[in-house]
Every structure is written in C-alpha cells, then in structure tokens.
C-alpha cells in the first residue's frame, strides 16, 4: 500500500512539472502537444491527475533537482546545468539508467545433457541467421531456451531474430531477460539499444549504448550506434521529451538526477529551441 502511495506521489510530481512547462509562454506549440500527450498517458496508466492533490509530494520536481544539486556545487549549478553537459553532440551525458523490465522467473538448472543439446540448437540458429532464414533461427533458439532457460546468450540471440522479423516488443523482452541473467553482458545492452532505435525511442537507445560502452569501451559498433541515436534524438526533441517523461519505471526516473535534469532543461535551453 505504501509503495502504491509513493508511486502516485512520483507520478503527481511529474505531472505537475509537465503542467508547469505546458503553461509557459515560451513553450512552443509542438512541445505543448507532446507534453499534453505525455500527461494523458501518465494519467491513464496510473489513474491519477492533478486534481488528486492528496498525492502532491512535499517537494516539487524542480525543488528536488535543486536540493540534489546543492550537494555537488549548489542550487545555482543544479538549476543552470544542461542535460547535455555543455556539449550538444553528447546528449544524456552521465545518465546510465536502463530499464530491465519485470523480473524473470528462472527455471531450474538444466542437466548437462540438455545444456549440450541446447548449445547445438543455438549453433544451428546462428547458421540460420547467417543464411538470412530468420524464422528458422527463431525456432532453433526457442528450442534451446526450452532446454536451458538460464542462458543469457540464447535470449540475446533470439532477440536478434525477433529484430529481423520486426517483432520489437519480444526482442526487447529477451534483451531484458539476458541482462538480468548476465548483468555484464554488453551485447545484450547493445542489442536492446538496436531494439529501441528500431522503435524510434532514441532516449532509451542512448542509455543502452552507453551501458554497453561502459562494459566494452572500445567497441566501434556501440560507438557508432550511440552517435546515430544522439543525432536522431536532437532531430526530434519533443519526442525525446515525451520518451523521458513516460519512462516505464517512474520511480527510477524521479530519483535519477540526470534524467530529471534532461526533462527540466530541454524545454528551456535556447539553443535546443532554435534547433
């Protein structure tokens, strides 16, 4: 019950912030439209609106940012900080939050015989992928996972097949399971980034590529994909605002100063508005 009340306070705080931005005379018509959509989505998802003042948090979103900033250089620095760390070529600099989805219910450990058979099926799936037979590859990975549902590689490989078949929601879930099973699995984060990019969700794609690069700093593919997503994000700022505001884990969003700062500053940054 307490968690539910806290969630509603979090949502109310975000709604309050979005409403303040919506009412500003400096907010463009396109931005207002995106803000309105974001608010409607939150209200529908959580059954709460600004009329429900009993959930109003003690501190507003801006006040929370200022109080957090005070510990690392003062409220003035927090209020004026850019979400791009002064560099428009590197949006979301410093942010590292990646949503790993609902907890995966791990099956019992596979026997050695099942593991060996599953690995053979995975190799057949890999061959099918090379031959561009994605449906057949998917079938092989499905069989491998049935035999050994605790192997992150199988889920990550199946995600690749789902991406090729444009089944992005299933690909995303497989990537989430893969990183739950193996939190240091850079390829799973990178593939999750590809999934988000395919859905034009460049905010989450950037965060995934950054996480992949934390684990494999020299991977050129992750670097290139990160740059592409950063560029695409800057081409559609209103969509990025909506993506940040409608994060699937609002409690993490509310407590992450980088993401909060991004949402707060994007609408106010003159150079971003001109762009």
């Amino acid at each position: 019950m307490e968690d539910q009340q806290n969630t509603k306070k979090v949502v109310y705080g975000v709604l309050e912030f979005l409403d303040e931005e919506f009412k500003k005379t400096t907010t463009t018509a396109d931005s207002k439209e995106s803000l309105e959509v974001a608010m409607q989505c939150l209200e529908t998802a959580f059954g709460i609106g600004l009329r429900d003042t009993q959930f109003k948090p003690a501190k507003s979103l801006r006040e929370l940012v200022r109080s957090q900033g005070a510990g690392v250089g003062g409220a003035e620095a927090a209020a004026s900080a850019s979400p791009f760390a002064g560099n428009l070529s590197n949006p979301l600099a410093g942010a590292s939050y990646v949503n790993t989805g609902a907890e995966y219910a791990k099956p019992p450990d596979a026997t050695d015989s099942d593991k060996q058979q599953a690995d053979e099926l995975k190799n057949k799936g890999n061959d099918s992928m090379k031959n561009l037979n994605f449906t057949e590859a998917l079938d092989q990975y499905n069989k491998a996972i049935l035999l050994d549902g605790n192997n992150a590689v199988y889920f990550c490989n199946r995600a690749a097949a789902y991406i090729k078949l444009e089944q992005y929601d299933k690909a995303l879930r497989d990537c989430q399971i893969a990183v739950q099973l193996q939190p240091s699995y850079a390829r799973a984060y990178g593939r999750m980034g590809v999934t988000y990019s395919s859905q034009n969700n460049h905010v989450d794609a950037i965060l995934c590529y950054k996480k992949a690069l934390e684990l494999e700093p020299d991977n050129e593919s992750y670097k290139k994909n990160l740059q592409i997503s950063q560029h695409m994000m800057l081409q559609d700022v209103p969509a990025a605002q909506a993506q940040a505001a409608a994060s699937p884990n609002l409690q993490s969003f509310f407590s992450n100063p980088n993401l909060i700062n991004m949402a707060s500053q994007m609408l106010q940054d003159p150079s971003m508005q001109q762009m």
Side-chain angles (χ1 to χ4, degrees):
M1 186 65 178
E2 183 178 351
D3 286 344
Q4 186 177 7
Q5 294 289 316
N6 289 337
T7 297
K8 288 186 179 293
K9 288 182 179 180
V10 170
V11 176
Y12 191 98
V14 176
L15 286 172
E16 188 177 43
F17 160 73
L18 295 176
D19 186 58
E20 289 173 0
E21 295 296 328
F22 181 87
K23 291 177 180 177
K24 284 184 176 180
T25 57
T26 55
T27 303
T28 65
D30 286 343
S31 294
K32 284 191 174 186
E33 183 178 352
S34 296
L35 289 167
E36 190 172 20
V37 170
M39 292 175 68
Q40 289 173 353
C41 290
L42 291 174
E43 289 172 354
T44 301
F46 293 92
I48 178 177
L50 291 174
R51 62 189 177 280
D52 302 308
T53 54
Q54 67 271 29
F55 298 115
K56 183 180 176 68
K59 285 187 176 182
S60 70
L61 203 57
R62 296 184 193 281
E63 289 172 335
L64 179 62
V65 171
R66 293 191 186 100
S67 64
Q68 289 175 334
V72 290
E76 182 179 351
S80 62
S82 166
F84 308 112
N87 183 357
L88 288 176
S89 67
N90 186 22
L92 294 184
S96 60
Y97 166 73
V98 173
N99 177 42
T100 57
E103 184 176 356
Y104 171 61
K106 296 181 181 179
D109 288 339
T111 64
D112 289 342
S113 175
D114 284 346
K115 287 182 179 180
Q116 181 178 352
Q117 187 178 350
D119 203 52
E120 292 172 358
L121 288 164
K122 181 262 295 182
N123 291 335
K124 290 181 180 178
N126 292 350
D127 290 338
S128 296
M129 289 291 288
K130 292 176 184 177
N131 294 326
L132 307 182
N133 194 336
F134 307 125
T135 301
E136 183 178 297
L138 181 62
D139 182 59
Q140 300 296 339
Y141 296 141
N142 283 337
K143 291 176 181 177
I145 288 172
L146 284 175
L147 288 170
D148 183 2
N150 290 314
N151 192 310
V153 173
Y154 301 162
F155 285 99
C156 189
N157 286 14
R158 188 171 71 174
Y162 278 134
I163 290 171
K164 292 296 185 181
L165 294 170
E166 298 184 0
Q167 298 183 37
Y168 301 121
D169 288 342
K170 292 180 179 180
L172 175 60
R173 183 56 187 153
D174 273 358
C175 290
Q176 291 175 336
I177 293 172
V179 299
Q180 287 184 37
L181 291 171
Q182 190 175 328
S184 61
Y185 194 5
R187 178 172 293 182
Y189 287 107
R191 195 152 285 162
M192 195 186 304
V194 172
T195 303
Y196 279 128
S197 295
S198 300
Q199 296 174 308
N200 293 317
N201 183 345
H202 303 298
V203 170
D204 283 313
I206 288 170
L207 298 178
C208 289
Y209 293 136
K210 288 173 69 66
K211 182 63 178 179
L213 280 168
E214 285 179 16
L215 297 166
E216 292 185 9
D218 298 326
N219 189 299
E220 292 300 323
S221 177
Y222 302 153
K223 290 179 182 178
K224 183 178 296 184
N225 286 347
L226 173 61
Q227 291 174 350
I228 292 171
S229 287
Q230 288 172 334
H231 175 76
M232 294 301 293
M233 174 181 164
L234 292 175
Q235 302 308 304
D236 194 355
V237 173
Q241 293 165 350
Q243 289 163 15
S247 170
N249 186 336
L250 286 177
Q251 287 183 317
S252 294
F253 167 81
F254 194 67
S255 63
N256 187 322
N258 293 299
L259 291 182
I260 293 172
N261 198 40
M262 181 195 70
S264 175
Q265 296 298 320
M266 264 187 169
L267 286 170
Q268 301 175 47
D269 191 328
S271 59
M272 289 300 296
Q273 291 175 357
Q274 291 173 8
M275 184 176 293

